[in-house]
Amino acid sequence: MLDELLQRVRNYSPRFMEIQEGFPEAAVLVPITRSDEPEVVLTLRASGLSTHGGEVAFPGGRRDPEDNDLIETALREAEEEIGLPPGLVEIVGPLGTLVSRHGIQVTPYVGVVPDFVDYQANDGEIAAVFSVPLEFFRNDPREVTHRIDYLGQSWYVPSYRYGEYKIWGLTAIMLVELVNLVYDADIDMRRPPEHYIHLK
């Protein structure tokens, strides 16, 4: 089952949002465990960080001048943040590039990791490392919907609740793209869900 999902990622040609030249680049790793019921590994960022503090995110960060490419950025940051050795990661392919609200161009890379890794959170950056079954997102169990207006278009982005963790924003957008790709989930962020309430 997992290999079939990964083949979809390998064959995928991600869409790229229109961006302005000169945006700083960043990359995140979307780690999927190699198991019969694959899970995605996520982090809770430390609350004291200047950007995205206290938010759920994939491990990652800004590209350093020394990084040969964005894959190296994603692997380096994952090792720094959660102690994931790059040699344990099999990069499968990218998802679509997004632009954060801080004006950073972020490219996610899906990677397969063993399901027995003992993650070591960098206390200065990461408050917790946790995993969620990928299947959890398949039926879009959103708690609320956030409308984001970008480049003249409205996007209706889900916010998920998994235990004590709230998964929203760019991380939720990446997860929707992933589950749409691997499960044909057909979660449409271009139209409001039926239960969406427009406040005037």
Side-chain angles (χ1 to χ4, degrees):
M1 179 64 175
L2 177 63
D3 289 334
E4 180 182 331
L5 303 185
L6 297 178
Q7 192 59 47
R8 289 192 173 207
V9 178
R10 291 187 186 97
N11 294 338
Y12 184 49
S13 297
R15 51 106 187 96
F16 293 96
M17 299 181 78
E18 297 177 30
I19 58 169
Q20 299 176 15
E21 290 295 323
F23 275 37
E25 287 186 301
V28 300
L29 182 67
V30 182
I32 298 178
T33 60
R34 181 170 288 284
S35 53
D36 291 337
E37 297 181 3
E39 300 185 335
V40 289
V41 179
L42 292 153
T43 71
L44 178 66
R45 290 173 59 81
S47 58
L49 295 176
S50 58
T51 58
H52 305 291
E55 295 181 12
V56 168
F58 289 111
R62 289 201 190 199
R63 180 176 184 172
D64 280 352
E66 297 78 19
D67 294 339
N68 291 317
D69 53 31
L70 288 171
I71 292 176
E72 186 172 327
T73 300
L75 293 174
R76 174 182 55 75
E77 287 282 346
E79 183 172 30
E80 291 175 5
E81 290 184 356
I82 63 174
L84 175 60
L88 292 184
V89 184
E90 176 193 342
I91 294 293
V92 182
L95 300 175
T97 296
L98 299 165
V99 176
S100 78
R101 65 177 184 271
H102 299 287
I104 301 172
Q105 179 181 336
V106 184
T107 303
Y109 287 91
V110 177
V112 183
V113 298
D115 61 358
F116 55 79
V117 178
D118 181 19
Y119 296 104
Q120 303 294 325
N122 179 335
D123 291 339
E125 298 183 55
I126 303 299
V129 182
F130 66 101
S131 59
V132 182
L134 190 57
E135 186 83 21
F136 170 79
F137 302 99
R138 184 174 188 168
N139 294 319
D140 191 20
R142 69 180 70 196
E143 185 177 52
V144 295
T145 299
H146 296 134
R147 194 182 91 176
I148 298 174
D149 295 322
Y150 182 73
L151 294 177
Q153 296 178 335
S154 294
W155 300 78
Y156 298 88
V157 181
S159 174
Y160 300 112
R161 174 72 61 179
Y162 186 78
E164 64 188 285
Y165 301 108
K166 176 183 175 183
I167 304 166
W168 63 289
L170 283 190
T171 303
I173 293 173
M174 295 170 190
L175 284 164
V176 167
E177 182 176 5
L178 179 62
V179 297
N180 279 346
L181 171 60
V182 301
Y183 292 129
D184 297 320
D186 198 27
I187 302 169
D188 187 356
M189 292 186 294
R190 303 297 293 276
R191 292 181 295 133
E194 291 181 8
H195 60 272
Y196 186 80
I197 300 172
H198 288 274
L199 299 176
K200 296 184 179 179

